């Protein structure tokens, strides 16, 4: 069971090594990187490539670790008891299975994605240490212990919004997805926009990397944003010549796909103003 990338996902050699190492070690794979570098999509592609079920747990600021295990719906049970419903005599009717429970009881090995774990409270990762380590947990309301029949492949993503506890990090295999170089990015573009003209791609990527390298930029455009920008360039039927003629302007055409806040737009407008004054 090895992951080598797919037709729809360009995986660098070091990323493939990380995925396969985590599978061999049976440890969660913790993936960090800039937003838009394909961390979430990696889990989906691993599941697709290995022919496994995909279970996705999207973490929010209000998410609690217990929700990944199960939740006891006491309110529904109280309401049913008031209505005389016979279901109240079986407490299991009010246990809502979480994503970890679903992954543990899957008939075959599954890929469990815990997406953007750094959005949750700082105690969230520590609250899952035991369950992810032993692959089991106890349901206090029913007295049963849920154990994983097949140990799932766990992929955890983080945008580095907050530091994760050392005890949690120690139990993971870590990989940081570096921003792709021009050659790798060109391969990624070819997957999403097959047949794109090479001169247009070369000119667009030159402009794109120049924007990313600009000092003082608050948010650097990501892989997903350059793909959106190229889609717009193609839909407008723009050519490499159009981009070269536009090179004198600090703001590129359709820059709203690349620059996502007013500070960065103002920075490039100021650079354009200074360039015109220097002519």
């Amino acid at each position: 069971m090895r992951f080598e990338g797919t037709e729809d996902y360009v995986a660098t050699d070091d990323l493939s090594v990380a995925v396969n190492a985590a599978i061999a070690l049976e440890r969660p794979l913790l993936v960090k990187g800039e937003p838009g570098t394909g961390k979430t999509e990696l889990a989906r592609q691993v599941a697709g490539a290995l022919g496994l079920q995909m279970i996705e747990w999207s973490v929010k600021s209000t998410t609690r670790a217990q929700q990944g295990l199960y939740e006891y719906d006491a309110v529904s049970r109280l309401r049913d008891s008031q209505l005389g419903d016979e279901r109240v005599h079986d407490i299991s009717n009010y246990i809502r299975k979480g994503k970890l429970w679903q992954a543990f009881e899957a008939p075959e090995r599954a890929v469990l994605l815990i997406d953007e774990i750094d959005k949750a409270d700082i105690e969230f990762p520590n609250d899952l240490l035991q369950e992810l380590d032993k692959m089991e947990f106890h349901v206090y309301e029913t007295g049963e212990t849920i154990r994983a029949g097949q140990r799932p492949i766990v992929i955890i993503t983080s945008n580095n919004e907050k530091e994760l506890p050392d005890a949690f990090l120690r139990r993971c295999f870590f990989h940081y997805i570096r921003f792709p170089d021009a050659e790798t990015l060109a391969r990624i573009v070819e997957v999403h926009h097959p047949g794109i003209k090479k001169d247009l791609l070369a000119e667009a990527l030159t402009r794109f990397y120049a924007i990313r390298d600009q000092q003082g930029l608050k948010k650097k455009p990501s892989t997903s944003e350059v793909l959106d920008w190229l889609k717009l360039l193609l839909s407008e039927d723009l050519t490499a010549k159009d981009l070269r003629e536009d090179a004198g302007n600090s703001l590129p055409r359709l820059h709203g796909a690349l620059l996502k806040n007013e500070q960065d737009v103002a920075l490039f407008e100021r650079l354009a103003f200074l360039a015109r004054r220097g002519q």
Side-chain angles (χ1 to χ4, degrees), residues 19 24 116 205:
V19 171
E116 298 188 334
L205 292 187

Side-chain angles (χ1 to χ4, degrees), residues 3 46 58 115 148 163 196:
F3 176 70
V46 169
S58 297
D115 199 22
E163 289 297 321
I196 187 172

Side-chain angles (χ1 to χ4, degrees), residues 27-255:
R27 289 190 177 274
L29 173 63
L30 174 60
V31 185
K32 291 187 179 183
E34 293 181 31
T37 50
K39 300 185 296 299
T40 301
E41 187 61 25
L42 170 65
R44 300 184 182 123
Q45 294 298 328
V46 169
L50 302 181
L52 303 178
Q53 178 187 357
M54 169 77 178
I55 298 174
E56 185 170 344
W57 185 13
S58 297
V59 176
K60 301 176 182 177
S61 59
T62 56
T63 303
R64 295 176 293 108
Q66 180 64 33
Q67 293 172 312
L69 308 179
Y70 70 93
E71 290 184 284
Y72 169 50
D73 191 351
V75 175
S76 292
R77 193 181 187 201
L78 175 61
R79 184 187 62 240
D80 288 349
S81 68
Q82 293 170 339
L83 296 173
D85 194 322
E86 289 297 318
R87 297 174 71 248
V88 299
H89 300 299
D90 185 357
I91 197 171
S92 64
N93 289 323
Y94 304 94
I95 300 295
R96 306 287 180 254
K97 298 177 181 180
K99 299 296 184 180
L100 265 73
W101 189 330
Q102 294 173 31
F104 286 4
E105 73 171 8
E108 297 181 352
R109 196 175 195 182
V111 173
L112 172 63
L113 169 64
I114 304 177
D115 199 22
E116 298 188 334
I117 194 172
D118 52 323
K119 279 187 175 180
D121 183 85
I122 189 63
E123 292 303 320
F124 180 92
N126 279 336
D127 290 342
L128 290 176
L129 286 181
Q130 195 80 353
E131 290 76 12
L132 291 176
D133 204 20
K134 292 189 174 183
M135 287 290 157
E136 65 177 42
F137 62 90
H138 188 70
V139 183
Y140 294 97
E141 289 78 3
T142 63
E144 61 183 323
T145 297
I146 306 301
R147 294 184 178 89
Q150 296 280 341
R151 192 178 186 97
I153 297 171
V154 182
I155 297 178
I156 303 169
T157 72
S158 169
N159 287 327
N160 247 353
E161 291 185 9
K162 61 170 67 82
E163 289 297 321
L164 299 174
D166 290 344
F168 178 79
L169 295 174
R170 191 166 63 248
R171 288 167 168 81
C172 297
F173 189 93
F174 172 76
H175 182 74
Y176 184 86
I177 298 182
R178 295 182 178 85
F179 194 82
D181 57 27
E183 181 181 346
T184 303
L185 187 54
R187 289 167 55 204
I188 294 172
V189 171
E190 182 62 33
V191 168
H192 293 269
H193 303 298
I196 187 172
K197 293 180 180 178
K198 293 189 177 185
D199 58 344
L200 173 61
L201 177 59
E203 191 66 35
L205 292 187
T206 298
R207 195 76 196 275
F208 170 71
Y209 278 104
I211 292 172
R212 270 188 60 88
D213 293 340
Q214 178 60 52
Q215 293 294 321
L217 204 61
K218 184 176 181 180
K219 183 196 176 302
K220 294 183 178 182
S222 67
T223 308
S224 61
E225 287 157 345
V226 73
L227 292 173
D228 287 345
W229 185 50
L230 285 166
K231 183 177 181 178
L232 289 173
L233 296 181
L234 292 170
S235 68
E236 295 292 326
D237 202 23
L238 296 175
T239 65
K241 181 181 177 183
D242 294 324
L243 294 184
R244 282 193 291 270
E245 290 174 350
D246 197 36
N249 301 319
S250 291
L251 275 171
R253 296 194 192 194
L254 303 167
H255 63 270

